[in-house]
Amino acid sequence: MTGPPVSRQPPIAVEGNIAEIGDRFAGARVEFDHALIAELRSACAVVDTKPEALVAAGRDWWPISLHWAIAGEVGGRPSAVARPSSIEEVCGVLRCCNERGIPVTAAGGRSGVTGGAIPVFGGVALDMRGLAGITAVDETSCLVTVLAGTYGPELADELARDHGLTLGHWPQSIDISTVGGWVACRAAGQYSTRYGKIEDIVAGLEVVLADGRLVRTGGLAGAGPRSSTGPDLSQLFLGSEGALGIITAAQLRGRRLPQAEQRAAFAFPTFDEGLGALRRTLQRGATPAVVRLHDATEAARSWGVDDGHLLLALDEGDEYVIDAAMRVLTEECRDATRLDPAIVGRWLEKRNDVSELTEVTRLGIVADTIEVAATWSELPGLYHDALAGLAVVPGHLFSSAHASHSYSDGGCLYFTFAGQGTGSDDVEAREEFYRRSWSAVMTATRRHRGSISHHHGIGLVRSGYLADALGEGFSVLEGIKATLDPVGILNPGKLGLSNPYGPSPWPAPKVPSAEVERGGDPAAGVGGAQP
């Protein structure tokens, strides 16, 4: 089901002598003495200060950081890595750090691509992978309680083998990501149209606050499947990226293993027509597990399809349910060209392969993906506007997009871009190209009243854009942070929140006006034509 084991390390090793590896973010760094190390070890049995451990904890899968690795740098190293194996040890580490004002950056598989797991101000990296495994299964209710450090393949295999269940949650990072990371970043699996994003799957959470207190929410606090007992506190910690509390366990909604499957593929003459077919399908109530619309650039480059814009569909579950869903989709694609569904099998084989990123990085090319979301009325304009903005960034080589998660009111667009900047042998030039490409997509997204992230989270790369995206709501987030983490130790520098250690090392860039004027003021809400 999950394929052969893969390496869980970033695809490019940090080059150079371990003693000479530097920190890209060389701002304020919180160091501590042997006395604090001893105190940490009294709270947590395994506290590692070896250079190899600190370097490994100083990075994640953020694509721009691969270029830093070639140059002998990581984003930022902690002073120690704590590896708790129990909730009590997590509580003890946080109490110790909170009393001393030491920053704590939690991480699991470090599969994130936004820099969210980089301890930019040093301090303690909290490696959660020692808290792993399923602790309870209610097979009658299809509820699974699992510790945060559990990797995706191990969880999926045990659920299927021993309980006949699946979460239906299959992110591209499934082999290298953990449950805590899914919850902390509001992850989406590739089958999300049928099964939902992780916030739809979570029934309850266990969270340790900055001062070491343990909080349980939802089903883990004894609540039923629906509750009218004030705000849903699970939603408070979902997507909080370790800045409001450390997720230690989750209760998740499982499903019975699917008994049937159907596949289909279509080609549309325009991307907008493909979006229209997706919209009509979802608004009729059909939710095929996978409905992906790849534009003509991606269709030709990745799938060898030259017939236009490629829609791939796959559904699984009860045969009557999926037959109805696929009938609706086929009706709404009646004006498209029907293709051999075998192409869906090729997508299944390649869907988690990111080896191309390593290859282009070694060639000095900067590449990344940016996922955003918007309503159906705005998606066509956002698609064209963002690609036009990317095309004028100096050093741009190519860009493309696909729609990968759809809902009754809108969906997610996933932009891919690559380039070298105007000095391809210079890491600074590559970083400048990278920042300006991100700015092009963020600007277009806000212009079309979209969400600046659909499922990768904020981390560092989007931190400079969050205040604008949330508007007055950002001050509410700041107030929650101040209440739950008054000392400011939890993942400082992320989510655009202020912290006691220094300014964000990755602010939103100032971009030449010619690159942001296209389409007018984001606040004006310029809409695209409804497909």
Side-chain angles (χ1 to χ4, degrees):
M1 181 179 294
T2 53
V6 298
S7 171
R8 286 170 169 162
Q9 300 302 314
I12 292 178
V14 183
E15 297 186 1
N17 186 303
I18 193 72
E20 297 174 354
I21 290 170
D23 294 327
R24 186 67 176 175
F25 304 129
R29 176 182 164 87
V30 179
E31 304 281 3
F32 40 78
D33 56 23
H34 293 295
L36 182 55
I37 293 290
E39 191 173 337
L40 285 170
R41 285 179 173 147
S42 70
C44 179
V46 181
V47 176
D48 198 340
T49 59
K50 293 190 294 292
E52 294 81 1
L54 304 185
V55 167
R59 61 196 301 237
D60 57 14
W61 281 64
W62 192 11
I64 191 64
S65 69
L66 299 181
H67 293 270
W68 303 339
I70 292 172
E73 294 180 321
V74 296
R77 289 165 296 175
S79 295
V81 179
R83 298 193 174 98
S85 58
S86 69
I87 293 166
E88 291 74 21
E89 288 190 328
V90 175
C91 295
V93 169
L94 289 179
R95 280 194 294 269
C96 173
C97 291
N98 193 59
E99 291 169 1
R100 299 285 201 98
I102 304 297
V104 178
T105 305
R110 299 188 172 278
S111 64
V113 292
T114 66
I118 298 175
V120 294
F121 297 110
V124 174
L126 192 64
D127 185 341
M128 297 296 291
R129 291 175 297 172
L131 277 76
I134 295 172
T135 61
V137 177
D138 178 346
E139 291 192 10
T140 303
S141 307
C142 296
L143 289 171
V144 180
T145 303
V146 57
L147 296 175
T150 308
Y151 276 105
E154 286 84 338
L155 174 58
D157 289 346
E158 184 173 345
L159 285 179
R161 181 187 65 245
D162 298 343
H163 305 286
L165 297 176
T166 180
L167 298 177
H169 186 72
W170 303 103
Q172 186 182 47
S173 63
I174 183 72
D175 287 322
I176 59 176
S177 58
T178 60
V179 170
W182 300 345
V183 175
C185 293
R186 287 183 175 262
Q190 294 162 332
Y191 287 46
S192 69
T193 310
R194 166 69 67 203
Y195 295 99
K197 290 181 71 216
I198 195 66
E199 60 262 35
D200 305 306
I201 298 171
V202 166
L205 294 175
E206 182 178 75
V207 183
V208 180
L209 301 183
D211 61 5
R213 286 179 294 158
L214 186 65
V215 174
R216 294 184 176 91
T217 71
L220 292 182
R226 289 292 184 266
S227 177
S228 181
T229 52
D232 183 353
L233 295 181
S234 295
Q235 294 296 322
L236 177 65
F237 297 104
L238 274 153
S240 63
E241 302 188 27
L244 301 182
I246 307 299
I247 296 160
T248 53
Q251 186 183 66
L252 305 175
R253 298 181 178 98
R255 304 279 191 98
R256 304 295 176 193
L257 286 174
Q259 300 303 307
E261 181 190 89
Q262 289 188 32
R263 303 176 184 183
F266 306 88
F268 290 86
T270 69
F271 193 78
D272 292 11
E273 289 175 83
L275 287 176
L278 289 178
R279 175 181 61 83
R280 294 189 300 271
T281 298
L282 269 293
Q283 290 180 349
R284 287 179 62 180
T287 57
V290 178
V291 274
R292 298 170 65 90
L293 176 66
H294 294 262
D295 69 9
T297 301
E298 290 192 5
R301 185 182 73 237
S302 299
W303 314 112
V305 173
D306 298 318
D307 299 289
H309 304 263
L310 173 64
L311 190 151
L312 301 175
L314 179 153
D315 204 4
E316 64 176 26
D318 183 280
E319 62 178 315
Y320 294 106
V321 174
I322 67 172
D323 185 61
M326 294 298 277
R327 279 173 179 261
V328 171
L329 175 68
T330 301
E331 279 187 16
E332 296 303 341
C333 294
R334 56 186 171 271
D335 295 329
T337 301
R338 189 139 193 183
L339 303 177
D340 185 347
I343 193 171
V344 180
R346 299 206 300 274
W347 170 76
L348 285 167
E349 292 172 0
K350 291 182 59 178
R351 60 184 171 143
N352 296 339
D353 182 7
V354 295
S355 59
E356 187 179 33
L357 177 61
T358 305
E359 296 167 9
V360 298
T361 300
R362 290 289 186 191
L363 293 172
I365 295 172
V366 178
D368 201 358
T369 57
I370 306 175
E371 30 62 62
V372 298
T375 59
W376 291 116
S377 59
E378 297 284 356
L379 279 173
L382 172 54
Y383 167 75
H384 295 290
D385 201 4
L387 289 181
L390 284 168
V392 300
V393 175
H396 171 269
L397 294 175
F398 77 84
S399 50
S400 62
H402 63 263
S404 55
H405 308 269
S406 296
Y407 313 95
S408 63
D409 54 348
C412 166
L413 286 179
Y414 211 106
F415 294 95
T416 298
F417 68 88
Q420 291 182 300
T422 55
S424 60
D425 293 332
D426 187 342
V427 173
E428 302 293 338
R430 296 176 200 170
E431 192 173 296
E432 176 67 11
F433 163 79
Y434 184 78
R435 286 174 176 267
R436 287 166 72 162
S437 296
W438 265 88
S439 180
V441 177
M442 294 292 97
T443 298
T445 301
R446 295 299 299 130
R447 185 177 299 128
H448 291 279
R449 295 179 290 186
S451 301
I452 63 170
S453 178
H454 176 263
H455 59 271
H456 283 170
I458 301 300
L460 280 172
V461 74
R462 288 182 172 94
S463 61
Y465 302 99
L466 188 60
D468 174 68
L470 295 184
E472 289 301 317
F474 188 73
S475 64
V476 177
L477 177 60
E478 289 182 310
I480 294 170
K481 170 72 170 176
T483 298
L484 295 180
D485 181 19
V487 181
I489 66 167
L490 295 179
N491 207 3
K494 317 297 168 48
L495 298 181
L497 294 165
S498 59
N499 70 87
Y501 308 106
S504 169
W506 196 268
K510 289 183 167 47
V511 178
S513 60
E515 291 176 30
V516 299
E517 286 176 353
R518 195 182 305 273
D521 186 344
V526 179
Q530 181 171 322

